Amino acid sequence: MTVRPLLHTFMVFGVGVLVSAGMKPSEAADQLQHLRAACEKGMAASCNSLGLLHMKGEGVKHDDIRAAALFRKACDGGDAGGCSNLGVMYAEGMGVPQDDVQAAAFSRKACDGGSMRGCSNLGVMYAEGTGVPQDDAQAADFYKQACDGGDAKGCYNLGVMYAEGIGVPQDDVQAAAFSRKACDGGSMKGCYNLGVMYAEGIGTQQDDVQAAAFYRKACHGGNARGCYNLGVMHAEGIGVPQDNFQAADFYRKACDGGSLRGCSNLGVMYAQGTGIKQDDVRAANLYRKACDAGDAKGCINLGVVWKGMRPQRAKRLRSLRQVENRETVRSYGLKTIMNSYKNVEDPQS
């Protein structure tokens, strides 16, 4: 069975998001006034929340400098979340000069104050040698502290370290245990890794049904690799009933989520008319998407389709490509803005 390997990457920094989503404008305005008044009276947590609003531009003008100042005020007032967020601002150079040493210092202060995100971020810095001397054992210790305190990213990273034998003795059973804890805590990468471990019988008894269940959970949580692997399992009837329609659906989700292999496999299904209406033009578009992003199989398949395509259909494909290129240019600015906030996360999730 073709499955993607374990994710061997450490999590990046994240900043919390104020729980104001879904509020009516009047309620949001009232909340803003309340936070301002509370912050001025010295309530540190309110300063942190107000800083988050400025950092996100929710209900107020986006202002990283103001956000960093509010996070500092919160941190000085004893709010560990404010220290953690200020550490992130220094790490990213948002509202303050980029300074890894300061980022590590405030992440440590956050961790000492009980912020598990601060502990997790400090673990990342030790793992990468950013702002502190590189030290895998220290990284593992901080991930463990974060995980024990309920931070799913800390659990995920610790699971990776046990799988790799980095900073801790290599132990697949422990890797599976921490991946499960990460998954239970909401880490979709943890769910995906646990699916791989069940599929391969690594650190746990081999079980394709369980593998499919964890890939499904990861996919539903937005993990493209989970979608791709679930598509493979449906295509081959492993752990789930064989179903080409379902396979195509999960390949589509994988492709939409950024999985190049998902795009290429969906292209194959369009080319063959398997589980979906046969369409060489759609197949070629998907192959090209995969190829342009570096997937060799997508490039090979694209060449095969172009070679066998009738001239009038090839002309149509070239026309479609020109239109898509213009759309890409128009949407580039929006994509850039969205990517700048891709690491902002809700600490409640």
Side-chain angles (χ1 to χ4, degrees), residues 10-13 87-88 90-93 98-108 118 120-136 139 143:
F10 294 105
M11 297 300 294
V12 290
F13 293 103
V88 173
Y90 271 110
E92 301 290 344
Q98 199 283 333
D99 188 327
D100 289 329
V101 174
Q102 288 278 43
F106 282 107
S107 294
R108 187 182 302 276
S120 185
N121 281 356
L122 191 56
V124 171
M125 302 193 82
Y126 270 109
E128 298 181 349
T130 305
V132 292
Q134 200 283 332
D135 188 326
D136 289 325
Y143 290 149

PDB file of all heavy atoms in Angstrom, residues 10-13 87-88 90-93 98-108 118 120-136 139 143:
ATOM      1  N   PHE A  10       9.036  19.801  13.086  1.00  0.00           N
ATOM      2  CA  PHE A  10       8.606  20.395  14.336  1.00  0.00           C
ATOM      3  C   PHE A  10       7.609  21.500  14.057  1.00  0.00           C
ATOM      4  O   PHE A  10       7.670  22.155  13.024  1.00  0.00           O
ATOM      5  CB  PHE A  10       9.808  20.946  15.101  1.00  0.00           C
ATOM      6  CG  PHE A  10      10.744  19.877  15.557  1.00  0.00           C
ATOM      7  CD1 PHE A  10      11.953  19.679  14.915  1.00  0.00           C
ATOM      8  CD2 PHE A  10      10.401  19.051  16.602  1.00  0.00           C
ATOM      9  CE1 PHE A  10      12.817  18.686  15.330  1.00  0.00           C
ATOM     10  CE2 PHE A  10      11.257  18.058  17.027  1.00  0.00           C
ATOM     11  CZ  PHE A  10      12.473  17.868  16.389  1.00  0.00           C
ATOM     12  N   MET A  11       6.734  21.704  14.992  1.00  0.00           N
ATOM     13  CA  MET A  11       5.706  22.717  14.811  1.00  0.00           C
ATOM     14  C   MET A  11       6.311  24.113  14.877  1.00  0.00           C
ATOM     15  O   MET A  11       7.285  24.350  15.567  1.00  0.00           O
ATOM     16  CB  MET A  11       4.627  22.578  15.894  1.00  0.00           C
ATOM     17  CG  MET A  11       3.884  21.259  15.819  1.00  0.00           C
ATOM     18  SD  MET A  11       3.046  20.992  14.264  1.00  0.00           S
ATOM     19  CE  MET A  11       1.820  22.272  14.349  1.00  0.00           C
ATOM     20  N   VAL A  12       5.681  25.024  14.155  1.00  0.00           N
ATOM     21  CA  VAL A  12       6.107  26.416  14.173  1.00  0.00           C
ATOM     22  C   VAL A  12       5.367  27.156  15.277  1.00  0.00           C
ATOM     23  O   VAL A  12       4.464  26.626  15.911  1.00  0.00           O
ATOM     24  CB  VAL A  12       5.818  27.078  12.817  1.00  0.00           C
ATOM     25  CG1 VAL A  12       6.735  26.527  11.756  1.00  0.00           C
ATOM     26  CG2 VAL A  12       4.370  26.877  12.420  1.00  0.00           C
ATOM     27  N   PHE A  13       5.774  28.392  15.479  1.00  0.00           N
ATOM     28  CA  PHE A  13       5.168  29.190  16.527  1.00  0.00           C
ATOM     29  C   PHE A  13       3.709  29.465  16.251  1.00  0.00           C
ATOM     30  O   PHE A  13       3.281  29.526  15.110  1.00  0.00           O
ATOM     31  CB  PHE A  13       5.901  30.531  16.661  1.00  0.00           C
ATOM     32  CG  PHE A  13       7.295  30.383  17.164  1.00  0.00           C
ATOM     33  CD1 PHE A  13       8.362  30.470  16.302  1.00  0.00           C
ATOM     34  CD2 PHE A  13       7.533  30.132  18.497  1.00  0.00           C
ATOM     35  CE1 PHE A  13       9.663  30.334  16.763  1.00  0.00           C
ATOM     36  CE2 PHE A  13       8.820  29.997  18.962  1.00  0.00           C
ATOM     37  CZ  PHE A  13       9.891  30.101  18.098  1.00  0.00           C
ATOM     38  N   GLY A  87       6.874  36.768  22.966  1.00  0.00           N
ATOM     39  CA  GLY A  87       7.959  35.945  22.453  1.00  0.00           C
ATOM     40  C   GLY A  87       7.787  35.656  20.974  1.00  0.00           C
ATOM     41  O   GLY A  87       8.745  35.696  20.191  1.00  0.00           O
ATOM     42  N   VAL A  88       6.554  35.374  20.576  1.00  0.00           N
ATOM     43  CA  VAL A  88       6.274  35.117  19.168  1.00  0.00           C
ATOM     44  C   VAL A  88       6.534  36.365  18.327  1.00  0.00           C
ATOM     45  O   VAL A  88       7.098  36.294  17.229  1.00  0.00           O
ATOM     46  CB  VAL A  88       4.818  34.645  18.978  1.00  0.00           C
ATOM     47  CG1 VAL A  88       4.472  34.545  17.496  1.00  0.00           C
ATOM     48  CG2 VAL A  88       4.603  33.293  19.648  1.00  0.00           C
ATOM     49  N   TYR A  90       8.661  38.721  18.893  1.00  0.00           N
ATOM     50  CA  TYR A  90      10.112  38.870  18.724  1.00  0.00           C
ATOM     51  C   TYR A  90      10.647  37.828  17.737  1.00  0.00           C
ATOM     52  O   TYR A  90      11.532  38.122  16.930  1.00  0.00           O
ATOM     53  CB  TYR A  90      10.830  38.731  20.072  1.00  0.00           C
ATOM     54  CG  TYR A  90      10.973  40.040  20.812  1.00  0.00           C
ATOM     55  CD1 TYR A  90      10.259  40.293  21.977  1.00  0.00           C
ATOM     56  CD2 TYR A  90      11.833  41.039  20.343  1.00  0.00           C
ATOM     57  CE1 TYR A  90      10.387  41.502  22.652  1.00  0.00           C
ATOM     58  CE2 TYR A  90      11.967  42.242  21.010  1.00  0.00           C
ATOM     59  CZ  TYR A  90      11.239  42.473  22.163  1.00  0.00           C
ATOM     60  OH  TYR A  90      11.372  43.678  22.812  1.00  0.00           O
ATOM     61  N   ALA A  91      10.127  36.631  17.793  1.00  0.00           N
ATOM     62  CA  ALA A  91      10.590  35.582  16.884  1.00  0.00           C
ATOM     63  C   ALA A  91      10.276  35.930  15.429  1.00  0.00           C
ATOM     64  O   ALA A  91      11.071  35.658  14.522  1.00  0.00           O
ATOM     65  CB  ALA A  91       9.939  34.248  17.248  1.00  0.00           C
ATOM     66  N   GLU A  92       9.119  36.542  15.208  1.00  0.00           N
ATOM     67  CA  GLU A  92       8.681  36.853  13.849  1.00  0.00           C
ATOM     68  C   GLU A  92       9.044  38.274  13.420  1.00  0.00           C
ATOM     69  O   GLU A  92       8.859  38.630  12.253  1.00  0.00           O
ATOM     70  CB  GLU A  92       7.155  36.663  13.747  1.00  0.00           C
ATOM     71  CG  GLU A  92       6.677  35.264  14.080  1.00  0.00           C
ATOM     72  CD  GLU A  92       7.076  34.243  13.037  1.00  0.00           C
ATOM     73  OE1 GLU A  92       7.454  34.651  11.916  1.00  0.00           O
ATOM     74  OE2 GLU A  92       7.030  33.042  13.331  1.00  0.00           O
ATOM     75  N   GLY A  93       9.515  39.092  14.356  1.00  0.00           N
ATOM     76  CA  GLY A  93       9.796  40.485  14.027  1.00  0.00           C
ATOM     77  C   GLY A  93       8.545  41.266  13.723  1.00  0.00           C
ATOM     78  O   GLY A  93       8.512  42.108  12.826  1.00  0.00           O
ATOM     79  N   GLN A  98      13.187  41.920  15.112  1.00  0.00           N
ATOM     80  CA  GLN A  98      13.344  40.479  15.237  1.00  0.00           C
ATOM     81  C   GLN A  98      14.539  40.181  16.136  1.00  0.00           C
ATOM     82  O   GLN A  98      15.629  40.731  15.956  1.00  0.00           O
ATOM     83  CB  GLN A  98      13.547  39.844  13.846  1.00  0.00           C
ATOM     84  CG  GLN A  98      13.266  38.357  13.781  1.00  0.00           C
ATOM     85  CD  GLN A  98      14.378  37.508  14.355  1.00  0.00           C
ATOM     86  OE1 GLN A  98      15.549  37.905  14.358  1.00  0.00           O
ATOM     87  NE2 GLN A  98      14.029  36.342  14.869  1.00  0.00           N
ATOM     88  N   ASP A  99      14.315  39.312  17.146  1.00  0.00           N
ATOM     89  CA  ASP A  99      15.360  39.034  18.132  1.00  0.00           C
ATOM     90  C   ASP A  99      15.087  37.663  18.750  1.00  0.00           C
ATOM     91  O   ASP A  99      14.210  37.514  19.609  1.00  0.00           O
ATOM     92  CB  ASP A  99      15.361  40.127  19.207  1.00  0.00           C
ATOM     93  CG  ASP A  99      16.546  40.022  20.167  1.00  0.00           C
ATOM     94  OD1 ASP A  99      16.987  38.904  20.445  1.00  0.00           O
ATOM     95  OD2 ASP A  99      17.013  41.080  20.637  1.00  0.00           O
ATOM     96  N   ASP A 100      15.827  36.663  18.313  1.00  0.00           N
ATOM     97  CA  ASP A 100      15.604  35.300  18.793  1.00  0.00           C
ATOM     98  C   ASP A 100      15.925  35.144  20.272  1.00  0.00           C
ATOM     99  O   ASP A 100      15.292  34.342  20.974  1.00  0.00           O
ATOM    100  CB  ASP A 100      16.428  34.307  17.975  1.00  0.00           C
ATOM    101  CG  ASP A 100      15.908  34.137  16.554  1.00  0.00           C
ATOM    102  OD1 ASP A 100      14.691  34.261  16.359  1.00  0.00           O
ATOM    103  OD2 ASP A 100      16.721  33.868  15.653  1.00  0.00           O
ATOM    104  N   VAL A 101      16.920  35.888  20.750  1.00  0.00           N
ATOM    105  CA  VAL A 101      17.276  35.792  22.173  1.00  0.00           C
ATOM    106  C   VAL A 101      16.118  36.298  23.035  1.00  0.00           C
ATOM    107  O   VAL A 101      15.763  35.679  24.043  1.00  0.00           O
ATOM    108  CB  VAL A 101      18.574  36.579  22.462  1.00  0.00           C
ATOM    109  CG1 VAL A 101      18.858  36.604  23.967  1.00  0.00           C
ATOM    110  CG2 VAL A 101      19.752  35.952  21.718  1.00  0.00           C
ATOM    111  N   GLN A 102      15.542  37.418  22.637  1.00  0.00           N
ATOM    112  CA  GLN A 102      14.381  37.939  23.362  1.00  0.00           C
ATOM    113  C   GLN A 102      13.189  36.993  23.234  1.00  0.00           C
ATOM    114  O   GLN A 102      12.428  36.793  24.184  1.00  0.00           O
ATOM    115  CB  GLN A 102      13.998  39.330  22.823  1.00  0.00           C
ATOM    116  CG  GLN A 102      14.960  40.432  23.209  1.00  0.00           C
ATOM    117  CD  GLN A 102      14.683  40.950  24.617  1.00  0.00           C
ATOM    118  OE1 GLN A 102      14.432  40.202  25.556  1.00  0.00           O
ATOM    119  NE2 GLN A 102      14.745  42.262  24.751  1.00  0.00           N
ATOM    120  N   ALA A 103      13.033  36.411  22.064  1.00  0.00           N
ATOM    121  CA  ALA A 103      11.937  35.452  21.860  1.00  0.00           C
ATOM    122  C   ALA A 103      12.063  34.290  22.834  1.00  0.00           C
ATOM    123  O   ALA A 103      11.075  33.867  23.459  1.00  0.00           O
ATOM    124  CB  ALA A 103      11.950  34.940  20.419  1.00  0.00           C
ATOM    125  N   ALA A 104      13.283  33.780  22.974  1.00  0.00           N
ATOM    126  CA  ALA A 104      13.506  32.670  23.899  1.00  0.00           C
ATOM    127  C   ALA A 104      13.280  33.102  25.342  1.00  0.00           C
ATOM    128  O   ALA A 104      12.700  32.355  26.147  1.00  0.00           O
ATOM    129  CB  ALA A 104      14.922  32.125  23.721  1.00  0.00           C
ATOM    130  N   ALA A 105      13.722  34.310  25.676  1.00  0.00           N
ATOM    131  CA  ALA A 105      13.579  34.804  27.047  1.00  0.00           C
ATOM    132  C   ALA A 105      12.109  34.919  27.434  1.00  0.00           C
ATOM    133  O   ALA A 105      11.704  34.509  28.539  1.00  0.00           O
ATOM    134  CB  ALA A 105      14.278  36.154  27.197  1.00  0.00           C
ATOM    135  N   PHE A 106      11.295  35.473  26.539  1.00  0.00           N
ATOM    136  CA  PHE A 106       9.879  35.630  26.869  1.00  0.00           C
ATOM    137  C   PHE A 106       9.132  34.295  26.800  1.00  0.00           C
ATOM    138  O   PHE A 106       8.175  34.079  27.555  1.00  0.00           O
ATOM    139  CB  PHE A 106       9.232  36.674  25.957  1.00  0.00           C
ATOM    140  CG  PHE A 106       9.547  38.085  26.373  1.00  0.00           C
ATOM    141  CD1 PHE A 106      10.426  38.868  25.642  1.00  0.00           C
ATOM    142  CD2 PHE A 106       8.977  38.624  27.519  1.00  0.00           C
ATOM    143  CE1 PHE A 106      10.737  40.167  26.041  1.00  0.00           C
ATOM    144  CE2 PHE A 106       9.278  39.918  27.922  1.00  0.00           C
ATOM    145  CZ  PHE A 106      10.160  40.690  27.186  1.00  0.00           C
ATOM    146  N   SER A 107       9.564  33.401  25.930  1.00  0.00           N
ATOM    147  CA  SER A 107       8.963  32.064  25.908  1.00  0.00           C
ATOM    148  C   SER A 107       9.265  31.331  27.212  1.00  0.00           C
ATOM    149  O   SER A 107       8.408  30.637  27.776  1.00  0.00           O
ATOM    150  CB  SER A 107       9.498  31.260  24.711  1.00  0.00           C
ATOM    151  OG  SER A 107       9.090  31.824  23.494  1.00  0.00           O
ATOM    152  N   ARG A 108      10.481  31.506  27.722  1.00  0.00           N
ATOM    153  CA  ARG A 108      10.838  30.878  28.999  1.00  0.00           C
ATOM    154  C   ARG A 108      10.012  31.462  30.145  1.00  0.00           C
ATOM    155  O   ARG A 108       9.528  30.732  31.018  1.00  0.00           O
ATOM    156  CB  ARG A 108      12.332  31.062  29.275  1.00  0.00           C
ATOM    157  CG  ARG A 108      12.838  30.285  30.499  1.00  0.00           C
ATOM    158  CD  ARG A 108      14.309  30.546  30.747  1.00  0.00           C
ATOM    159  NE  ARG A 108      15.129  30.195  29.592  1.00  0.00           N
ATOM    160  CZ  ARG A 108      15.555  28.959  29.346  1.00  0.00           C
ATOM    161  NH1 ARG A 108      15.242  27.976  30.178  1.00  0.00           N
ATOM    162  NH2 ARG A 108      16.315  28.729  28.294  1.00  0.00           N
ATOM    163  N   GLY A 118       4.061  28.507  25.652  1.00  0.00           N
ATOM    164  CA  GLY A 118       5.404  29.032  25.855  1.00  0.00           C
ATOM    165  C   GLY A 118       6.417  27.914  25.989  1.00  0.00           C
ATOM    166  O   GLY A 118       7.520  27.981  25.426  1.00  0.00           O
ATOM    167  N   SER A 120       6.135  24.873  24.775  1.00  0.00           N
ATOM    168  CA  SER A 120       6.247  24.225  23.471  1.00  0.00           C
ATOM    169  C   SER A 120       7.130  25.047  22.531  1.00  0.00           C
ATOM    170  O   SER A 120       7.996  24.511  21.834  1.00  0.00           O
ATOM    171  CB  SER A 120       4.855  24.029  22.859  1.00  0.00           C
ATOM    172  OG  SER A 120       4.924  23.296  21.657  1.00  0.00           O
ATOM    173  N   ASN A 121       6.927  26.370  22.529  1.00  0.00           N
ATOM    174  CA  ASN A 121       7.746  27.235  21.682  1.00  0.00           C
ATOM    175  C   ASN A 121       9.212  27.205  22.095  1.00  0.00           C
ATOM    176  O   ASN A 121      10.116  27.219  21.251  1.00  0.00           O
ATOM    177  CB  ASN A 121       7.218  28.667  21.725  1.00  0.00           C
ATOM    178  CG  ASN A 121       5.997  28.853  20.841  1.00  0.00           C
ATOM    179  OD1 ASN A 121       5.585  27.937  20.138  1.00  0.00           O
ATOM    180  ND2 ASN A 121       5.413  30.036  20.896  1.00  0.00           N
ATOM    181  N   LEU A 122       9.461  27.157  23.407  1.00  0.00           N
ATOM    182  CA  LEU A 122      10.837  27.089  23.882  1.00  0.00           C
ATOM    183  C   LEU A 122      11.473  25.767  23.450  1.00  0.00           C
ATOM    184  O   LEU A 122      12.660  25.719  23.110  1.00  0.00           O
ATOM    185  CB  LEU A 122      10.870  27.242  25.406  1.00  0.00           C
ATOM    186  CG  LEU A 122      12.246  27.456  26.038  1.00  0.00           C
ATOM    187  CD1 LEU A 122      12.955  28.655  25.431  1.00  0.00           C
ATOM    188  CD2 LEU A 122      12.095  27.631  27.556  1.00  0.00           C
ATOM    189  N   GLY A 123      10.666  24.709  23.441  1.00  0.00           N
ATOM    190  CA  GLY A 123      11.159  23.423  22.947  1.00  0.00           C
ATOM    191  C   GLY A 123      11.588  23.519  21.487  1.00  0.00           C
ATOM    192  O   GLY A 123      12.628  22.982  21.089  1.00  0.00           O
ATOM    193  N   VAL A 124      10.777  24.225  20.680  1.00  0.00           N
ATOM    194  CA  VAL A 124      11.123  24.422  19.270  1.00  0.00           C
ATOM    195  C   VAL A 124      12.457  25.147  19.154  1.00  0.00           C
ATOM    196  O   VAL A 124      13.319  24.790  18.334  1.00  0.00           O
ATOM    197  CB  VAL A 124      10.018  25.216  18.537  1.00  0.00           C
ATOM    198  CG1 VAL A 124      10.474  25.606  17.129  1.00  0.00           C
ATOM    199  CG2 VAL A 124       8.725  24.421  18.473  1.00  0.00           C
ATOM    200  N   MET A 125      12.655  26.154  19.992  1.00  0.00           N
ATOM    201  CA  MET A 125      13.879  26.952  19.908  1.00  0.00           C
ATOM    202  C   MET A 125      15.107  26.136  20.300  1.00  0.00           C
ATOM    203  O   MET A 125      16.177  26.261  19.695  1.00  0.00           O
ATOM    204  CB  MET A 125      13.736  28.206  20.764  1.00  0.00           C
ATOM    205  CG  MET A 125      12.550  29.062  20.347  1.00  0.00           C
ATOM    206  SD  MET A 125      12.527  30.722  21.059  1.00  0.00           S
ATOM    207  CE  MET A 125      13.649  31.576  19.943  1.00  0.00           C
ATOM    208  N   TYR A 126      14.958  25.282  21.306  1.00  0.00           N
ATOM    209  CA  TYR A 126      16.083  24.404  21.671  1.00  0.00           C
ATOM    210  C   TYR A 126      16.336  23.372  20.568  1.00  0.00           C
ATOM    211  O   TYR A 126      17.484  23.032  20.265  1.00  0.00           O
ATOM    212  CB  TYR A 126      15.814  23.703  23.002  1.00  0.00           C
ATOM    213  CG  TYR A 126      16.303  24.488  24.196  1.00  0.00           C
ATOM    214  CD1 TYR A 126      15.408  25.100  25.065  1.00  0.00           C
ATOM    215  CD2 TYR A 126      17.666  24.613  24.453  1.00  0.00           C
ATOM    216  CE1 TYR A 126      15.854  25.841  26.157  1.00  0.00           C
ATOM    217  CE2 TYR A 126      18.128  25.345  25.542  1.00  0.00           C
ATOM    218  CZ  TYR A 126      17.216  25.955  26.393  1.00  0.00           C
ATOM    219  OH  TYR A 126      17.677  26.693  27.476  1.00  0.00           O
ATOM    220  N   ALA A 127      15.285  22.867  19.970  1.00  0.00           N
ATOM    221  CA  ALA A 127      15.447  21.878  18.904  1.00  0.00           C
ATOM    222  C   ALA A 127      16.173  22.473  17.708  1.00  0.00           C
ATOM    223  O   ALA A 127      16.983  21.801  17.054  1.00  0.00           O
ATOM    224  CB  ALA A 127      14.085  21.340  18.471  1.00  0.00           C
ATOM    225  N   GLU A 128      15.907  23.741  17.430  1.00  0.00           N
ATOM    226  CA  GLU A 128      16.492  24.388  16.257  1.00  0.00           C
ATOM    227  C   GLU A 128      17.733  25.212  16.583  1.00  0.00           C
ATOM    228  O   GLU A 128      18.416  25.689  15.677  1.00  0.00           O
ATOM    229  CB  GLU A 128      15.438  25.269  15.588  1.00  0.00           C
ATOM    230  CG  GLU A 128      14.240  24.477  15.076  1.00  0.00           C
ATOM    231  CD  GLU A 128      13.203  25.350  14.399  1.00  0.00           C
ATOM    232  OE1 GLU A 128      13.313  26.590  14.505  1.00  0.00           O
ATOM    233  OE2 GLU A 128      12.295  24.796  13.767  1.00  0.00           O
ATOM    234  N   GLY A 129      18.019  25.397  17.877  1.00  0.00           N
ATOM    235  CA  GLY A 129      19.149  26.236  18.256  1.00  0.00           C
ATOM    236  C   GLY A 129      18.915  27.686  17.909  1.00  0.00           C
ATOM    237  O   GLY A 129      19.821  28.398  17.473  1.00  0.00           O
ATOM    238  N   THR A 130      17.695  28.141  18.131  1.00  0.00           N
ATOM    239  CA  THR A 130      17.302  29.513  17.801  1.00  0.00           C
ATOM    240  C   THR A 130      17.161  30.320  19.084  1.00  0.00           C
ATOM    241  O   THR A 130      16.247  30.074  19.877  1.00  0.00           O
ATOM    242  CB  THR A 130      15.954  29.526  17.046  1.00  0.00           C
ATOM    243  OG1 THR A 130      16.036  28.676  15.900  1.00  0.00           O
ATOM    244  CG2 THR A 130      15.601  30.934  16.606  1.00  0.00           C
ATOM    245  N   GLY A 131      18.081  31.247  19.307  1.00  0.00           N
ATOM    246  CA  GLY A 131      18.022  32.084  20.500  1.00  0.00           C
ATOM    247  C   GLY A 131      18.581  31.426  21.736  1.00  0.00           C
ATOM    248  O   GLY A 131      18.751  32.071  22.780  1.00  0.00           O
ATOM    249  N   VAL A 132      18.848  30.137  21.641  1.00  0.00           N
ATOM    250  CA  VAL A 132      19.442  29.351  22.730  1.00  0.00           C
ATOM    251  C   VAL A 132      20.365  28.317  22.087  1.00  0.00           C
ATOM    252  O   VAL A 132      20.234  28.027  20.891  1.00  0.00           O
ATOM    253  CB  VAL A 132      18.372  28.626  23.575  1.00  0.00           C
ATOM    254  CG1 VAL A 132      17.522  29.607  24.364  1.00  0.00           C
ATOM    255  CG2 VAL A 132      17.493  27.748  22.677  1.00  0.00           C
ATOM    256  N   PRO A 133      21.310  27.761  22.858  1.00  0.00           N
ATOM    257  CA  PRO A 133      22.155  26.706  22.283  1.00  0.00           C
ATOM    258  C   PRO A 133      21.299  25.501  21.883  1.00  0.00           C
ATOM    259  O   PRO A 133      20.362  25.131  22.601  1.00  0.00           O
ATOM    260  CB  PRO A 133      23.106  26.340  23.433  1.00  0.00           C
ATOM    261  CG  PRO A 133      23.089  27.545  24.332  1.00  0.00           C
ATOM    262  CD  PRO A 133      21.705  28.100  24.238  1.00  0.00           C
ATOM    263  N   GLN A 134      21.615  24.912  20.740  1.00  0.00           N
ATOM    264  CA  GLN A 134      20.858  23.747  20.292  1.00  0.00           C
ATOM    265  C   GLN A 134      21.025  22.605  21.289  1.00  0.00           C
ATOM    266  O   GLN A 134      22.145  22.266  21.693  1.00  0.00           O
ATOM    267  CB  GLN A 134      21.326  23.319  18.898  1.00  0.00           C
ATOM    268  CG  GLN A 134      20.344  22.455  18.122  1.00  0.00           C
ATOM    269  CD  GLN A 134      20.319  21.006  18.588  1.00  0.00           C
ATOM    270  OE1 GLN A 134      21.318  20.484  19.108  1.00  0.00           O
ATOM    271  NE2 GLN A 134      19.191  20.352  18.445  1.00  0.00           N
ATOM    272  N   ASP A 135      19.896  22.020  21.713  1.00  0.00           N
ATOM    273  CA  ASP A 135      19.954  20.982  22.737  1.00  0.00           C
ATOM    274  C   ASP A 135      18.675  20.141  22.622  1.00  0.00           C
ATOM    275  O   ASP A 135      17.601  20.547  23.083  1.00  0.00           O
ATOM    276  CB  ASP A 135      20.053  21.623  24.127  1.00  0.00           C
ATOM    277  CG  ASP A 135      20.317  20.603  25.235  1.00  0.00           C
ATOM    278  OD1 ASP A 135      19.832  19.468  25.140  1.00  0.00           O
ATOM    279  OD2 ASP A 135      21.005  20.963  26.208  1.00  0.00           O
ATOM    280  N   ASP A 136      18.796  18.973  22.005  1.00  0.00           N
ATOM    281  CA  ASP A 136      17.630  18.115  21.788  1.00  0.00           C
ATOM    282  C   ASP A 136      17.034  17.593  23.089  1.00  0.00           C
ATOM    283  O   ASP A 136      15.808  17.430  23.206  1.00  0.00           O
ATOM    284  CB  ASP A 136      18.002  16.939  20.881  1.00  0.00           C
ATOM    285  CG  ASP A 136      18.246  17.361  19.447  1.00  0.00           C
ATOM    286  OD1 ASP A 136      17.564  18.293  18.968  1.00  0.00           O
ATOM    287  OD2 ASP A 136      19.129  16.764  18.791  1.00  0.00           O
ATOM    288  N   ALA A 139      14.967  20.289  24.449  1.00  0.00           N
ATOM    289  CA  ALA A 139      13.764  20.408  23.634  1.00  0.00           C
ATOM    290  C   ALA A 139      12.738  19.363  24.057  1.00  0.00           C
ATOM    291  O   ALA A 139      11.550  19.670  24.253  1.00  0.00           O
ATOM    292  CB  ALA A 139      14.108  20.238  22.148  1.00  0.00           C
ATOM    293  N   TYR A 143       8.977  19.945  25.533  1.00  0.00           N
ATOM    294  CA  TYR A 143       7.813  19.355  24.860  1.00  0.00           C
ATOM    295  C   TYR A 143       7.025  18.496  25.845  1.00  0.00           C
ATOM    296  O   TYR A 143       5.787  18.498  25.844  1.00  0.00           O
ATOM    297  CB  TYR A 143       8.253  18.492  23.682  1.00  0.00           C
ATOM    298  CG  TYR A 143       8.811  19.253  22.500  1.00  0.00           C
ATOM    299  CD1 TYR A 143       9.789  18.680  21.688  1.00  0.00           C
ATOM    300  CD2 TYR A 143       8.356  20.525  22.176  1.00  0.00           C
ATOM    301  CE1 TYR A 143      10.307  19.361  20.600  1.00  0.00           C
ATOM    302  CE2 TYR A 143       8.873  21.209  21.087  1.00  0.00           C
ATOM    303  CZ  TYR A 143       9.843  20.623  20.304  1.00  0.00           C
ATOM    304  OH  TYR A 143      10.355  21.292  19.210  1.00  0.00           O
TER     305      TYR A 143
END
